[in-house]
Amino acid sequence: MPFNYDLDFDHIDFREQPELYRVGRGEQGVLLVEPYKSEILPYWRFKTPDIARESSEKIYELFLDYKAKNDFVGMDMAKKFLQMGYTRARRYTNYKDGRKYDEAGKVMERQNDPEKAESAAIFMERWKLARTDQEYLEMKKEHQKKYG
């Protein structure tokens, strides 16, 4: 079932109402679902490899904390932030200002920023750990079976 963007995200606490949460695809909902967005976003950084390492470790630690609390929505959101760390760092690896298209909609020339590429690789490691975690996968399957 796709992520439901029609919900009133300003007034839903998904910890209290996990039945309203849909996994969706990729990073869908990552900047909408509370209280998780507010808990995870302050740690999400990728400017340098050292910052990315610290950030990805903290977010993965949150993933494990949510897991210990049997909080699937929190786990899924932490996984999405790890994925977003990877995808955004890759975007800045290829495009210095993070913009892929110019004002005319034409794809800009790709660059290669090795520092951002390393940041992306750091996030990729933690993202892989989260997305292949067996308990996470079981909880995801159960959540989707139960709620869609």
Side-chain angles (χ1 to χ4, degrees), residues 3-143:
F3 189 83
N4 184 357
Y5 285 102
D6 294 330
L7 296 174
D8 182 2
F9 290 96
D10 293 333
H11 296 96
I12 298 173
D13 179 329
F14 284 88
R15 183 171 285 127
E16 299 296 322
Q17 295 182 282
E19 70 278 3
L20 296 177
Y21 181 76
R22 298 298 177 268
V23 174
R25 293 178 51 91
E27 302 160 16
Q28 288 182 324
V30 75
L31 297 175
L32 296 172
V33 176
E34 291 289 5
Y36 306 102
K37 178 188 94 171
S38 294
E39 294 170 358
I40 303 168
L41 185 61
Y43 302 107
W44 183 71
R45 303 283 180 268
F46 57 88
K47 187 172 186 174
T48 67
D50 287 340
I51 291 169
R53 190 169 291 103
E54 184 179 327
S55 174
S56 65
E57 286 173 6
K58 178 60 180 174
I59 294 170
Y60 187 69
E61 184 181 299
L62 289 170
F63 174 87
L64 295 176
D65 289 345
Y66 294 131
K67 179 179 172 177
K69 294 173 184 166
N70 204 30
D71 183 344
F72 168 73
V73 179
M75 291 173 72
D76 197 53
M77 289 295 294
K79 180 200 64 93
K80 288 180 180 200
F81 269 95
L82 292 168
Q83 179 179 1
M84 192 166 68
Y86 167 73
T87 59
R88 294 312 181 278
R90 284 300 316 163
R91 171 67 63 93
Y92 282 87
T93 297
N94 296 331
Y95 306 99
K96 186 173 177 61
D97 64 359
R99 292 184 312 131
K100 184 174 180 176
Y101 302 96
D102 65 15
E103 295 78 28
K106 182 177 170 240
V107 175
M108 296 172 62
E109 185 178 333
R110 288 177 73 138
Q111 296 131 356
N112 184 24
D113 181 333
E115 188 173 55
K116 292 295 185 299
E118 187 178 345
S119 292
I122 290 165
F123 267 97
M124 173 61 93
E125 287 177 33
R126 298 291 178 176
W127 176 34
K128 279 184 180 178
L129 284 175
R131 73 181 192 213
T132 60
D133 182 284
Q134 284 307 304
E135 286 181 65
Y136 164 77
L137 292 171
E138 289 167 18
M139 291 171 78
K140 177 181 176 183
K141 182 188 263 183
E142 184 61 32
H143 186 88

